[in-house]
């Protein structure tokens, strides 16, 4: 159930920062008034006027104590705050509501905290991912004093037990037991900005004596022919020790002119109602129908009088994953999704942290969702190194028909599997699943990101299936809390058969590999049915660089500490696991054009072309072999801070050339060439639009302007087939323009034929000629 707040405590708070060594000599404050006393007795502490939701560094920035961590090398200055205690305090008036019990609601605490109400400790928290609901009987009528003490996780984590069999990435060992987003400690896509704060809303919920504890509406089955659905409604209520007789429950739903209602007498405080919805309006993913949502009202009645009401939304749909663990070179395997018993070809992107300071996430989500919709994705994968995203994200996905693959919050590590950590994860997972399961957008639960892969690849021959977290804890929770959705223990997932084979034989895979020429054997000849990660580097525009790099660090690209810091290595000495990324970007340019430009403007353009052609190829490779291949989730849509990366839009929302190429390649109807085979290249039609398409087409040699193919075709829904073919020798280097017309649509594409190196000047002239508006958008500061 969503968190309900009756009285918001967002807004002005005091924020105090003090180093661990300084606080050790003082009495830790427990009220707001004591914050000022602490500041007066310690020169090194700071008390600021701040905001909730917030992160303490943003308050330091606003008051001028620090420089922008996103600029130049300023991120390194933030290391000095990793030992700091942070205090958030506020005073507020409260008027008790008769017949209720107040609870303090913290929608996001980062991370280890003690909470004091009127000078009395009422709770401690140790999990960034959860909504914390804290009984607040100590609330007084009138003025109240609330103080939250956030402890330095880098210090406190040293108390946790780490063993030789555990593993994490170089900068992330704190996260083996600490339930905080691992990306905040430094990742190849995020800086090391450990942070602390109350990053989501704070408020008071006045819980009635008679209230709902759980509400979950499930689709047990659909009949598209009869427009009916079988629905199950699970509920749990709290009425204290009052006898249950006389209570009843009522549920009603409305979606346009479609309505349903059901009511029943209660015999226990929990139960399940089953009923049929007639004239059902189904929820469909984008491109397959409307994402219809019912407005749901649930009422708890006592002697026919309403005592509590709860509202939510419901999408009538079934979703399942049909899969095998492995495949072979003949694609004798499977990994595909079905919604309402219809196969869905997945065109998705990975959703990573949208800001390094998570209190700013909610302000960025609406604009990012516009990009997601515009580029033609029907799916996002919420990557396991992040937080669980704000409710606004899931609500928007529900409304837009975007399927969500949700990783649980573990990534790239070998985590503890002792009883203590298993309990932590079990309790966390129950809360996470209950908070998200009502969203029809969620299609799949995945146990983690790449933990199976790290176990499989470690030098001691361990089998990933020993991981009790993802083989016992998570599926046991899901079996009782959400039996409606499919689950895989890891991405990629090594089952018992897969653990004995090279990773290439997995039906679902992360296709990173050597990251060489994007049409190399690794990519072109992969026989994975589904790629849930695949990416390629692309440089940001010069105008964007000027916003985060010092003027003397804009060029050259090599031996440049600021480029490396924004790539995102937290080590200025040009060492560490992520310093390869800038050189990789340059090498990918050289792979395509045979040389690396000697000036910044051409470097940026060449890199953006390289990325655009690569991601276009990845999408078209999978689409033109539909259903042998069933989808891909490319890496990634947008950066969470200013950097050089695989993202197709930078932190400032400026779209790279790859964004526009992907939008074109992800259109519901597409014509594209497949790679040369036996002296021919085949023109293939792909139709993921609702209904068949009658179309005409022509293919033109860009240099000679000669039409080399033309004709008409018919493509059924969910079909991919060869329309035409053309003799071709791989010794030729050509650019072919592909254009088509249909009754209600028109489109174009292009094909870069031949083998590298290609002539940069020639391609740059082509892209400016054909895609001039895209280039202008990609290379300027405003999209």
């Amino acid at each position: 159930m969503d968190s309900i707040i009756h009285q918001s405590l967002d807004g002005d708070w005091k924020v105090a920062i003090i180093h661990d060594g300084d606080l050790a000599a003082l009495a830790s404050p427990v009220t707001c008034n004591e914050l000022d006393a602490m500041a007066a007795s310690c020169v090194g502490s700071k008390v600021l006027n701040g905001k909730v939701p917030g992160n303490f560094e943003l308050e330091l920035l606003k008051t001028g104590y620090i420089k922008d961590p996103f600029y130049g090398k300023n991120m390194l200055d933030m290391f000095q705050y990793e030992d700091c205690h942070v205090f958030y305090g506020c005073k507020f008036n409260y008027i008790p509501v008769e017949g209720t019990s107040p609870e303090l609601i913290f929608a996001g605490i980062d991370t280890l905290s003690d909470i004091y109400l009127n000078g009395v400790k009422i709770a401690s928290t140790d999990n960034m991912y959860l909504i914390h609901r804290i009984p607040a009987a100590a609330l007084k009528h009138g003025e109240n004093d609330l103080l939250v003490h956030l402890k330095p996780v880098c210090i406190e984590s040293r108390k946790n037990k780490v063993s030789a069999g555990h593993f994490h990435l170089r900068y992330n060992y704190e996260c083996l037991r600490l339930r905080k987003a691992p990306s905040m400690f430094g990742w190849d896509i995020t800086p090391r900005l450990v942070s602390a704060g109350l990053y989501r809303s704070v408020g008071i919920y006045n819980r009635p004596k008679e209230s709902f504890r759980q509400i979950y509406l499930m689709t047990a089955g659909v009949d598209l022919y009869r427009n009916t659905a079988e629905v199950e409604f699970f509920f749990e209520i709290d009425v204290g020790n009052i006898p249950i007789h006389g209570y009843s429950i009522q549920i009603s739903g409305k979606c346009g002119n479609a309505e349903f209602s059901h009511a029943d007498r209660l015999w226990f405080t929990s139960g399940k109602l089953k009923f049929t919805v007639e004239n059902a309006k189904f929820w469909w993913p984008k491109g397959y129908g409307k994402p219809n949502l019912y407005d749901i009202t649930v009422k708890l009645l006592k002697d026919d009088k309403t005592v509590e009401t709860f509202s939510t939304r419901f999408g009538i749909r079934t979703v399942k994953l049909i899969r095998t663990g492995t495949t072979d070179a003949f694609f004798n395997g499977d990994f595909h999704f079905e919604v309402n018993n219809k196969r869905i070809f997945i065109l998705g992107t990975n959703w990573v942290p949208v800001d390094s300071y998570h209190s700013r996430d909610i302000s960025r989500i609406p604009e990012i969702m516009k990009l997601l919709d515009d580029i033609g994705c029907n799916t996002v994968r919420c990557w396991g190194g992040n937080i669980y995203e704000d409710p606004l994200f899931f609500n928007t996905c529900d409304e837009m028909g975007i399927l969500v693959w949700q990783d649980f919050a573990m990534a790239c590590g070998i985590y503890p599997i002792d009883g203590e950590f298993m309990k932590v994860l079990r309790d966390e997972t129950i809360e996470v699943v209950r908070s998200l399961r009502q969203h029809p957008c969620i299609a799949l639960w995945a146990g983690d990101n790449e933990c199976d892969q790290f176990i499989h690849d470690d030098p001691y021959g361990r089998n990933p299936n020993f991981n009790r977290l993802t083989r016992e804890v998570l599926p046991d929770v899901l079996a009782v809390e959400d039996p409606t959705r499919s689950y895989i223990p890891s991405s990629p997932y090594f089952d018992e058969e897969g653990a004995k084979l090279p990773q290439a034989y997995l039906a679902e895979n992360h296709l990173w590999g050597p990251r060489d020429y994007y049409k190399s054997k690794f990519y072109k000849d992969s026989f994975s049915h589904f790629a849930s990660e695949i990416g390629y580097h692309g440089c940001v525009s010069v105008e964007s660089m000027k916003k985060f790099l010092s003027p003397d660090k804009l060029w050259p690209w090599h031996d440049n500490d600021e480029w490396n810091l924004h790539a995102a290595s937290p080590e200025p000495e040009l060492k560490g696991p992520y310093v390869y990324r800038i050189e990789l970007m340059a090498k990918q340019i050289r792979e395509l054009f045979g040389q690396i430009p000697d000036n910044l403007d051409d470097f940026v353009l060449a890199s953006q072309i390289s990325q655009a052609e690569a991601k276009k190829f990845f999408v078209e490779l999978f689409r033109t072999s539909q259903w042998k291949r069933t989808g891909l989730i490319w890496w990634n849509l947008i950066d969470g801070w200013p950097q050089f990366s695989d993202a197709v839009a930078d932190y400032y929302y400026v779209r790279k050339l790859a964004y526009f190429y992907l939008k074109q390649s992800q259109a519901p109807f597409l014509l594209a060439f497949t790679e040369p085979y036996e002296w021919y290249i085949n023109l293939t039609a792909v139709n993921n639009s609702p209904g068949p398409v009658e179309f005409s087409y022509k293919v033109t040699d860009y240099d000679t302007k000669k039409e080399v193919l033309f004709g008409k075709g018919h493509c059924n829904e969910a079909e991919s087939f060869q329309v035409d073919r053309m003799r071709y020798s791989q010794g030729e280097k050509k650019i072919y323009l592909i254009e088509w017309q249909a009754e209600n649509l028109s489109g174009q594409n292009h094909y870069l034929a031949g083998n590298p190196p290609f002539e940069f000047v020639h391609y740059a002239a082509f892209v400016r000629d054909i895609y001039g508006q895209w280039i202008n958008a990609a290379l300027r500061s405003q999209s």
Side-chain angles (χ1 to χ4, degrees):
M1 291 177 63
D2 293 334
S3 178
I4 301 172
I5 289 179
H6 293 132
Q7 179 180 341
S8 174
L9 299 181
D10 291 351
D12 295 332
W13 287 56
K14 284 186 177 180
V15 180
I17 303 110
I18 184 171
H19 289 280
D20 183 69
D22 293 332
L23 184 63
L26 303 172
S28 182
V30 296
T31 67
C32 290
N33 291 337
E34 293 174 359
L35 292 180
D36 293 318
M38 178 184 71
S41 60
C42 179
V43 176
S45 65
K46 301 175 181 66
V47 178
L48 313 172
N49 293 320
K51 294 286 185 181
V52 168
N55 292 81
F56 82 89
E57 297 96 329
L58 301 181
E59 309 305 339
L60 290 171
L61 179 62
K62 283 189 294 186
T63 50
Y65 282 105
I66 63 171
K67 298 177 182 179
D68 183 1
F70 285 4
Y71 185 80
K73 294 189 288 187
N74 294 341
M75 179 261 287
L76 301 174
D77 296 336
M78 304 314 299
F79 296 174
Q80 66 182 301
Y81 294 100
E82 290 185 1
D83 71 335
C84 279
H85 295 254
V86 179
F87 296 85
Y88 277 79
C90 75
K91 293 183 179 181
F92 61 93
N93 289 315
Y94 174 70
I95 300 175
V97 177
E98 186 176 354
T100 68
S101 301
E103 297 175 355
L104 282 168
I105 306 296
F106 291 86
I109 301 178
D110 180 11
T111 294
L112 304 175
S113 78
D114 291 330
I115 300 171
Y116 298 87
L117 180 59
N118 299 318
V120 177
K121 182 177 174 180
I122 60 169
S124 296
T125 72
D126 58 3
N127 195 311
M128 181 183 188
Y129 302 125
L130 301 182
I131 297 171
H132 297 279
R133 302 172 177 88
I134 301 166
L139 274 174
K140 300 183 299 186
H141 189 164
E143 187 176 78
N144 289 266
D145 184 304
L146 179 61
L147 187 81
V148 181
H149 175 190
L150 299 170
K151 302 174 185 178
V153 294
C154 293
I155 302 296
E156 294 294 318
S157 294
R158 297 171 188 174
K159 301 173 184 177
N160 294 334
K161 181 176 64 177
V162 177
S163 301
H166 302 151
F167 172 81
H168 219 301
L169 302 177
R170 178 180 178 89
Y171 310 116
N172 306 92
Y173 269 82
E174 292 96 334
C175 300
L176 284 169
R177 292 186 184 270
L178 179 70
R179 301 310 290 152
K180 176 180 170 76
S183 56
M184 299 178 75
F185 293 86
W187 213 270
D188 60 4
I189 57 167
T190 52
R192 184 178 176 93
L193 293 171
V194 176
S195 195
L198 304 180
Y199 71 97
R200 288 183 181 157
S201 290
V202 179
I204 298 170
Y205 170 56
N206 296 305
R207 180 174 293 281
K209 291 181 180 178
E210 300 155 305
S211 63
F212 294 109
R213 289 292 183 181
Q214 292 189 72
I215 294 291
Y216 186 25
L217 202 54
M218 299 170 273
T219 305
V222 298
D223 188 326
L224 301 183
Y225 179 76
R226 293 182 173 84
N227 271 3
T228 62
E230 300 303 315
V231 171
E232 294 188 336
F233 170 52
F234 170 74
F235 62 88
E236 181 186 10
I237 64 171
D238 183 0
V239 294
N241 294 325
I242 303 172
I244 198 68
H245 302 291
Y247 283 98
S248 61
I249 197 165
Q250 184 182 92
I251 181 170
S252 61
K254 181 176 175 59
C255 178
N257 61 358
E259 300 183 38
F260 68 83
S261 62
H262 194 81
D264 208 349
R265 176 182 177 180
L266 297 189
W267 293 90
F268 190 59
T269 52
S270 60
K272 188 180 287 187
L273 308 182
K274 301 181 180 182
F275 51 92
T276 300
V277 175
E278 306 285 348
N279 188 32
K281 290 185 178 293
F282 301 107
W283 187 94
W284 289 99
K286 180 180 176 178
Y288 291 82
K290 293 183 178 180
N292 292 302
L293 291 169
Y294 282 76
D295 293 316
I296 302 295
T297 302
V298 184
K299 294 181 179 180
L300 178 64
L301 301 95
K302 170 69 171 175
D303 299 327
D304 297 325
K305 180 181 178 181
T306 301
V307 295
E308 174 73 321
T309 301
F310 182 77
S311 297
T312 187
R313 297 190 299 184
F314 176 47
I316 295 178
R317 62 98 186 94
T318 59
V319 59
K320 57 186 175 182
L321 170 64
I322 311 299
R323 56 167 296 277
T324 59
T326 59
T327 186
D328 59 25
F330 302 100
F331 290 90
N332 290 313
D334 200 358
F335 193 99
H336 79 270
F337 288 88
E338 294 183 3
V339 175
N340 300 327
N341 302 315
K342 184 174 184 176
R343 288 192 299 181
I344 307 297
F345 190 88
I346 298 299
L347 291 170
T349 184
N350 279 270
W351 186 276
V352 301
V354 299
D355 202 288
S356 293
Y357 294 116
H358 287 293
S359 63
R360 298 196 293 207
D361 289 354
I362 195 169
S363 67
R364 290 176 56 81
I365 287 172
E367 190 65 28
I368 297 172
M369 294 303 293
K370 291 178 186 177
L371 296 176
L372 178 70
D373 184 46
D374 178 65
I375 203 171
C377 288
N378 60 20
T379 301
V380 291
R381 172 180 176 249
C382 290
W383 170 70
N386 195 8
I387 58 173
Y388 294 99
E389 201 49 86
D390 191 273
L392 174 64
F393 165 79
F394 293 101
N395 290 334
T396 307
C397 287
D398 288 342
E399 295 161 3
M400 291 171 52
I402 302 297
L403 295 170
V404 175
W405 166 320
Q406 179 65 60
D407 283 1
F408 288 104
M410 293 179 287
C412 300
I414 303 176
Y415 286 77
I417 55 173
D418 53 66
E420 178 184 357
F421 189 70
M422 289 172 68
K423 182 181 186 308
V424 168
L425 186 63
R426 178 179 290 108
D427 293 346
E428 173 188 306
T429 304
I430 290 171
E431 292 299 313
V432 168
V433 171
R434 288 182 179 181
S435 71
L436 297 180
R437 64 189 178 185
Q438 193 59 63
H439 292 283
C441 63
I442 296 181
L444 177 72
W445 301 108
D448 59 49
N449 173 76
E450 295 183 352
C451 293
D452 269 20
Q453 181 177 322
F454 275 84
I455 298 169
H456 179 266
D457 293 347
D458 95 342
Y460 306 110
R462 288 188 283 183
N463 187 328
N465 293 284
F466 85 86
N467 186 349
R468 298 171 64 193
L469 303 176
T470 55
R471 272 62 173 184
E472 295 179 25
V473 175
L474 297 180
D476 286 354
V477 169
L478 290 169
V480 295
E481 298 294 342
D482 186 18
T484 71
R485 291 178 175 89
S486 298
Y487 166 76
I488 57 172
S490 188
S491 177
Y493 168 39
F494 293 74
D495 63 11
E496 288 291 355
E497 182 182 6
K500 301 173 185 175
L501 297 171
Q503 185 172 335
Y505 287 87
L506 299 181
E508 171 260 336
N509 216 335
H510 293 186
L511 297 180
W512 290 109
R515 308 190 202 188
D516 56 352
Y517 178 46
Y518 55 84
K519 291 186 182 180
S520 72
K521 182 178 176 64
F522 175 83
Y523 299 106
K524 185 174 62 175
D525 296 344
S526 165
F527 39 84
S528 293
H529 297 278
F530 194 99
S532 43
E533 287 187 15
I534 187 170
Y536 218 73
H537 260 54
C539 193
V540 297
S541 71
V542 176
E543 292 304 314
S544 289
M545 278 191 226
K546 290 177 180 178
K547 295 179 181 180
F548 66 87
L549 295 179
S550 304
D552 61 333
K553 294 293 185 177
L554 288 171
W555 189 254
W557 62 267
H558 54 81
D559 300 319
N560 188 323
D561 53 357
E562 288 194 16
W563 278 55
N564 277 283
L565 283 169
H566 288 267
S569 174
E571 300 185 66
E573 301 85 1
L574 301 180
K575 65 179 184 180
Y578 306 141
V579 296
Y580 75 92
R581 292 172 67 80
I582 296 298
E583 184 180 7
L584 172 64
M585 184 166 59
K587 288 164 62 176
Q588 288 172 340
I589 294 172
R590 189 172 59 220
E591 280 287 278
L592 188 61
F593 294 118
Q595 58 185 356
I596 300 170
D598 60 2
N599 65 85
L600 180 57
D601 288 335
D602 284 349
F603 184 95
V604 170
L605 178 57
S607 177
Q608 290 208 12
I609 291 169
S610 169
Q611 181 192 42
E613 283 289 346
K615 291 196 169 180
K616 165 180 152 61
F617 172 73
F618 297 154
V619 169
E620 293 178 3
L621 173 69
F622 275 73
R623 291 194 72 186
T624 56
S625 54
Q626 172 182 284
W627 294 95
K628 190 163 63 174
R629 295 183 173 97
T630 57
L632 75 166
I633 303 175
W634 42 266
W635 192 282
N636 65 303
L637 181 60
I638 193 167
D639 291 320
W641 85 304
Q643 66 175 343
F644 303 93
S645 74
D646 301 84
V648 299
D650 69 28
Y651 179 75
Y652 309 106
Y653 308 104
V654 178
R655 297 161 292 176
K656 302 176 188 177
L657 183 62
Y659 177 96
F660 300 101
Y661 277 28
L662 281 169
K663 180 179 177 179
Q664 182 170 269
S665 295
Q666 294 191 155
F669 180 78
L670 174 72
L671 289 181
F673 277 112
T674 58
E675 288 307 290
Y677 179 70
E678 295 183 348
W679 300 102
Y680 284 91
I681 52 175
N682 296 327
L683 184 64
T684 300
V686 185
N687 183 19
N688 295 118
S689 61
V693 175
E694 300 276 351
F695 62 95
S696 61
Y697 64 90
K698 67 177 181 178
V699 178
T700 306
D701 183 320
Y702 171 72
D703 290 312
T704 66
K705 311 305 179 189
K706 178 183 176 181
E707 284 189 16
V708 294
L709 287 179
F710 60 90
K712 295 182 179 181
H714 172 95
C715 192
N716 292 321
E717 180 182 354
E719 185 178 50
S720 133
F721 79 104
Q722 180 184 323
V723 176
D724 208 335
R725 67 175 186 166
M726 181 172 65
R727 288 193 67 86
Y728 175 75
S729 169
Q730 294 197 48
E732 299 179 82
K733 295 182 181 181
K734 296 277 190 178
I735 301 177
Y736 293 107
L737 292 179
I738 310 165
E739 299 171 275
W740 60 89
Q741 292 281 342
E743 182 178 354
N744 297 314
L745 61 87
S746 62
Q748 69 173 1
N749 195 5
H750 74 271
Y751 177 68
L752 180 61
N755 294 307
F758 297 96
E759 186 181 345
F760 171 67
V761 172
H762 178 256
Y763 192 104
F766 155 76
V767 77
R768 288 192 171 99
D769 179 23
I770 301 300
Y771 302 127
Q773 287 185 319
W774 296 354
I775 282 292
N776 290 338
L779 300 184
R780 68 189 186 192
S781 60
Q782 296 298 321
S783 58

